[in-house]
Amino acid sequence: EAQVTQNPRYLITVTGKKLTVTCSQNMNHEYMSWYRQDPGLGLRQIYYSMNVEVTDKGDVPEGYKVSRKEKRNFPLILESPSPNQTSLYFCASSTQGLPPLFFGPGTRLTVT
Amino acid sequence: AQSVTQLGSHVSVSEGALVLLRCNYSSSVPPYLFWYVQYPNQGLQLLLKYTSAATLVKGINGFEAEFKKSETSFHLTKPSAHMSDAAEYFCAVSPSNDYKLSFGAGTTVTVRA
C-alpha cells in the first residue's frame, strides 16, 4: 500500500530537549516536504527536498533542521524545541513536477 | 510572492444543497492552484488541481473548481452536499516552476441533515 508514515504520532516534550520526527514513504518519490498546521493559519511549509541531498527552506524554517540521506526518509529535527513549536506536523511526498499528493497522518507535538 | 485567501472560515450547508467555497489568490506568475480536503484526524488529500489546461477542473467526490484569471479566483463547488463532505478544505497556490506551496487558512464545512 502506497503511504507516508510518520513517527511518533503524539509527542509531549520539554523545552530544549532535542527531538526527531521521522517520515518515510514507500513510493520512490523524489519530492518530500514538511508542514506545520496551526489553527487559523492553515499549513505552512517548513522545509522541502527535491531529491537526495537536496533540501531548501520553506516559509517557516527557523528552529528546524532536515536531512535527506535516503530517498525514502526525510526526518524533521528540532535541536532545541520551544513552546511556539507546539503544533500539528505533516510530512508529504510526490513525484517530480506534481504537488504534494500523499500526506502522512500527522504528528501532534506539545512543547512545555 | 504568492498568497491565498479563503473567504469564510466556516460554511454550513444542508444535505443536498450547493457547496461553494471561495478562494482568491495573488501570484506574480501564472500559478498552479489546488484544493485539498482534510477529514477529522487525518492528513490532507488532493481534491483537484489546475495546471493551466482547462479552466474548469473536475476532482474527486463530485467536486469541481473554476479558474478565473480576471477575478484571480479558484472557487470550489459541489452541486449536492453529502454528510460525508463534512471536513476542512484548503486552497493552495504554487508558481509553475517551484515546489513551494502556500496554503489558505482553511474552511470548515458542516453538513446539516
Side-chain angles (χ1 to χ4, degrees), chain B residues 25-71:
Chain B
Y25 69 92
S26 65
S27 176
S28 56
V29 296
Y32 285 171
L33 292 157
F34 315 96
W35 277 99
Y36 288 86
V37 60
Q38 184 180 30
Y39 298 104
N41 300 313
Q42 295 185 26
L44 278 72
Q45 299 177 32
L46 182 65
L47 266 181
L48 50 80
K49 65 180 186 286
Y50 167 77
T51 56
S52 75
T55 56
L56 184 62
V57 182
K58 293 189 183 300
I60 61 173
N61 301 337
F63 284 93
E64 62 182 33
E66 186 173 10
F67 173 67
K68 291 188 177 181
K69 185 177 180 180
S70 61
E71 298 177 8

Side-chain angles (χ1 to χ4, degrees), chain A residues 11-21 63 76-83 85 109-112:
Chain A
L11 179 60
I12 300 174
T13 189
V14 296
T15 299
K17 186 176 181 181
K18 181 180 179 180
L19 66 91
T20 299
V21 183
L76 180 69
I77 304 157
L78 284 72
E79 295 271 2
S80 182
S82 63
Q85 293 178 297
L109 172 66
T110 302
V111 183
T112 62

Side-chain angles (χ1 to χ4, degrees), chain A residues 31 35 37 40-43 45 48 50 57-59 90 96-101 103-104, chain B residues 32 34 36 38 41-46 49 88 90 98-106:
Chain A
Y31 174 74
Y35 297 85
Q37 183 178 22
L41 297 178
L43 278 81
Q45 191 176 52
Y48 64 98
M50 295 174 65
K57 296 177 180 178
D59 296 318
F90 289 100
Q96 287 249 2
L98 291 176
L101 292 177
F103 279 77
Chain B
Y32 285 171
F34 315 96
Y36 288 86
Q38 184 180 30
N41 300 313
Q42 295 185 26
L44 278 72
Q45 299 177 32
L46 182 65
K49 65 180 186 286
E88 190 164 17
F90 294 94
D98 195 311
Y99 289 91
K100 294 184 70 170
L101 212 60
S102 294
F103 284 84

Side-chain angles (χ1 to χ4, degrees), chain A residues 20-32:
Chain A
T20 299
V21 183
T22 64
C23 172
S24 182
Q25 50 93 4
N26 62 359
M27 296 161 283
N28 202 37
H29 283 168
E30 294 85 10
Y31 174 74
M32 298 184 74

Side-chain angles (χ1 to χ4, degrees), chain A residues 92-107:
Chain A
S93 74
S94 64
T95 55
Q96 287 249 2
L98 291 176
L101 292 177
F102 291 86
F103 279 77
T107 295

